[in-house]
Amino acid sequence: MSGADLQLDSFEELAMPLFNQLYNLAHWLTHNREEAEDLVQETYAKALKGFSSFKSGTNFRAWMYRILRNTFLSSRTGLKATMTVPLDAENDGPEIAVEQDTPDTLLCERRNRELLQSAIDELPVYFREVLLLCEVEEMSYQEISETLSVPIGTVMSRLSRARKALRDRLRPQPQVGTITNAMEKGANHGL
Amino acid sequence: MVCDSWQGMLDTYLDGEIPDEEMRTYDAHVRNCPSCSVDALTRVQMKRAIQLAGKRFTPTAEFRKRIQQSVVPNRQRSFRLGWMLATAAVLILVVGTFTSSHMGNRSGRDQVFSEITDLHVATLASSSPVDVISTDRHTVKPWFQGKIPFSFNLPELQNSEFSLLGGRMTYLDQTPGAHLIYDVRKHHISVLVFQERSLPASLDENSLSPKNLPFNMETWTEGGLRYFVIGDASAADINSLAKLLRAAS
Ligand SMILES: [Zn+2]
């Protein structure tokens, strides 16, 4: 067997174990089974084709996710999804550290899976992906940074905003006159 | 608020992304601060909930198959050379079988040998030559457990030129056995193992390669098992692999 064949064999060995997770993320991104399948298929095709350019010893998982994600962002659905959120949303100063904890306890009571899922579904795509990579794929900040091709600092601020946006969405609708809520809305950076 | 600076780092802390030293300080604070510990607990619950809710979509088996097929053609391609050789071998076999049966001297032993050749040829020609794909003998060996009525040892290949490609179950006249495929210098070699007593014809203890086979082959018994090593690799390579197997068994 030639070296090239061995390498192609190992593509399958490396890439197929990621299949379920990649599909899950693709479906989260596209909101649609058919589009998710197209996205995954295109990802595998691109990855297989570009496998020779993949540097062994570097993170294969991050590499695959990056292909999937970039393919998504350049698709029609992806372009539409990114247009709903201003790209510079994360460059508008540091996250305000004041996070009041009271509303989160309410969340415990009313949280259930479906509610959470639809809340994640409604998140802007940049928030949705970073949150899923961190919590579902359990990627380290470093891995997420490689996947999204952004610095770790950006990963952290995006993650922080994503979590906050999610908490906001899960919070019971406007409580009467809580200063906290007003403050948090103000700190929402237009999202 | 005293806790503001802690709270700002809470997520990073819970993601396990702050340095060990700070981690310990943080641990100590969170444990002793009611406000931070409540907050931490809520966020941990949230993390767990997202993790569960996030595993939401499952691909269909059909789709998995489609993708699987789109990434394997390359393995099939690598077997094409084997397949072409195999086709040639079948032709030789057919001619050989015709000649020998025409001459009326086809013994039970020759029949076993030609069936072994068939197994080797048919496997390489198949689009999925192995059912367990692994270069690790510790993966391949247990895979056979419960599938065949005996167990056997596989050699360590680290300092040899051979590599294990994988294995599959096989049958020789309804006798179940193990079929392993090894590679050496672009040649595929089949190693077949059966229980000696269930083989249709008894073979000589020191049977050497029958002259008419299109491949090099070695066979022997060890501990009640009959081994066959066959392939288009050189006789020397077949012999080295046979030695490795004998040493392991
Ligand atoms: Zn505190």
Side-chain angles (χ1 to χ4, degrees):
Chain A
M1 229 191 235
S2 73
D5 288 332
L6 281 175
Q7 197 183 30
L8 288 163
D9 269 348
S10 57
F11 174 76
E12 186 196 349
E13 280 167 28
L14 289 168
M16 283 318 287
L18 299 174
F19 177 70
N20 285 352
Q21 296 105 287
L22 284 168
Y23 176 81
N24 183 51
L25 184 67
H27 201 145
W28 271 110
L29 292 174
T30 57
H31 297 302
N32 172 308
R33 182 167 291 272
E34 207 171 299
E35 278 186 56
E37 289 189 353
D38 287 348
L39 176 55
V40 170
Q41 187 156 5
E42 202 175 335
T43 300
Y44 273 85
K46 280 183 182 169
L48 181 62
K49 216 168 138 195
F51 189 52
S52 54
S53 71
F54 169 73
K55 290 188 205 75
S56 62
T58 63
N59 190 327
F60 182 77
R61 179 164 79 142
W63 185 71
M64 284 295 282
Y65 276 86
R66 189 161 67 235
I67 295 174
L68 182 122
R69 191 243 177 198
N70 290 344
T71 306
F72 169 70
L73 290 184
S74 57
S75 73
R76 201 184 304 169
T77 316
L79 286 172
K80 220 161 66 189
T82 53
M83 279 192 309
T84 60
V85 60
L87 267 171
D88 59 354
E90 62 206 11
N91 298 328
D92 53 2
E95 171 79 352
I96 290 169
V98 187
E99 301 237 337
Q100 305 300 324
D101 48 6
T102 36
D104 289 283
T105 51
L106 294 168
L107 173 63
C108 291
E109 294 152 33
R110 60 175 289 181
R111 182 174 56 219
N112 63 47
R113 182 178 294 214
E114 275 166 33
L115 188 69
L116 188 52
Q117 285 171 339
S118 63
I120 299 171
D121 260 337
E122 286 165 17
L123 287 178
V125 67
Y126 289 118
F127 287 179
R128 208 184 319 139
E129 63 176 6
V130 79
L131 198 63
L132 293 168
L133 292 176
C134 177
E135 306 294 26
V136 181
E137 301 310 325
E138 297 180 86
M139 283 188 178
S140 66
Y141 289 177
Q142 175 59 40
E143 250 186 313
I144 300 175
S145 139
E146 284 173 39
T147 302
L148 304 183
S149 310
V150 296
I152 288 190
T154 307
V155 171
M156 290 169 72
S157 63
R158 249 185 227 180
L159 203 48
S160 167
R161 283 164 210 286
R163 285 171 166 148
K164 196 156 119 52
L166 189 66
R167 282 196 296 271
D168 285 346
R169 267 159 220 275
L170 290 165
R171 188 162 289 146
Q173 284 320 297
Q175 302 277 308
V176 215
T178 53
I179 297 166
T180 323
N181 266 358
M183 272 178 63
E184 296 213 348
K185 289 265 151 56
N188 219 359
H189 304 296
L191 282 165
Chain B
M1 240 194 214
V2 178
C3 292
D4 280 0
S5 62
W6 299 100
Q7 299 252 330
M9 273 171 72
L10 194 51
D11 283 328
T12 319
Y13 162 70
L14 294 174
D15 288 338
E17 295 271 356
I18 61 175
D20 285 352
E21 224 170 284
E22 284 176 56
M23 201 76 173
R24 275 191 290 276
T25 324
Y26 215 109
D27 273 337
H29 174 83
V30 169
R31 214 161 292 156
N32 296 312
C33 168
S35 140
C36 282
S37 64
V38 166
D39 211 2
L41 180 66
T42 311
R43 290 189 196 210
V44 166
Q45 286 172 334
M46 183 66 163
K47 274 173 77 70
R48 203 165 299 152
I50 296 173
Q51 190 182 36
L52 292 172
K55 290 174 184 161
R56 182 184 186 185
F57 305 108
T58 318
T60 63
E62 193 191 331
F63 180 51
R64 170 181 272 276
K65 214 166 126 193
R66 186 142 50 95
I67 295 297
Q68 180 84 46
Q69 278 165 354
S70 76
V71 297
V72 287
N74 303 288
R75 194 171 68 230
Q76 291 171 341
R77 200 179 307 144
S78 74
F79 272 88
R80 198 172 294 154
L81 178 65
W83 184 82
M84 287 191 300
L85 288 168
T87 313
V90 168
L91 286 175
I92 296 168
L93 261 188
V94 168
V95 174
T97 308
F98 175 77
T99 316
S100 58
S101 57
H102 186 67
M103 289 166 76
N105 65 351
R106 185 177 170 146
S107 68
R109 204 186 93 166
D110 282 338
Q111 197 179 329
V112 169
F113 283 139
S114 71
E115 279 173 26
I116 292 295
T117 312
D118 281 354
L119 286 177
H120 173 67
V121 165
T123 300
L124 293 191
S126 141
S127 60
S128 50
V130 287
D131 291 330
V132 51
I133 305 170
S134 176
T135 54
D136 184 359
R137 65 193 169 125
H138 300 300
T139 305
V140 173
K141 193 189 153 182
W143 182 85
F144 283 103
Q145 267 167 23
K147 295 189 174 72
I148 52 171
F150 58 88
S151 75
F152 54 94
N153 289 321
L154 294 176
E156 170 63 57
L157 298 170
Q158 220 149 39
N159 297 312
S160 77
E161 291 178 273
F162 298 95
S163 59
L164 177 61
L165 206 69
R168 70 185 311 183
M169 242 194 104
T170 193
Y171 288 93
L172 184 67
D173 263 9
Q174 281 123 48
T175 302
H179 189 162
L180 304 146
I181 298 182
Y182 287 86
D183 273 3
V184 67
R185 285 185 270 275
K186 298 184 183 179
H187 295 285
H188 301 300
I189 301 177
S190 286
V191 172
L192 294 124
V193 191
F194 299 94
Q195 277 174 309
E196 174 78 4
R197 59 182 161 84
S198 32
L199 287 179
S202 66
L203 303 155
D204 296 339
E205 188 58 41
N206 294 311
S207 315
L208 292 170
S209 295
K211 292 281 180 292
N212 294 330
L213 291 180
F215 298 105
N216 288 309
M217 175 155 104
E218 285 206 19
T219 178
W220 70 93
T221 57
E222 184 88 54
L225 299 179
R226 167 62 66 177
Y227 291 78
F228 297 93
V229 181
I230 182 169
D232 63 340
S234 70
D237 280 339
I238 298 284
N239 183 252
S240 334
L241 183 57
K243 273 187 186 147
L244 285 168
L245 285 154
R246 288 179 115 140
S249 58

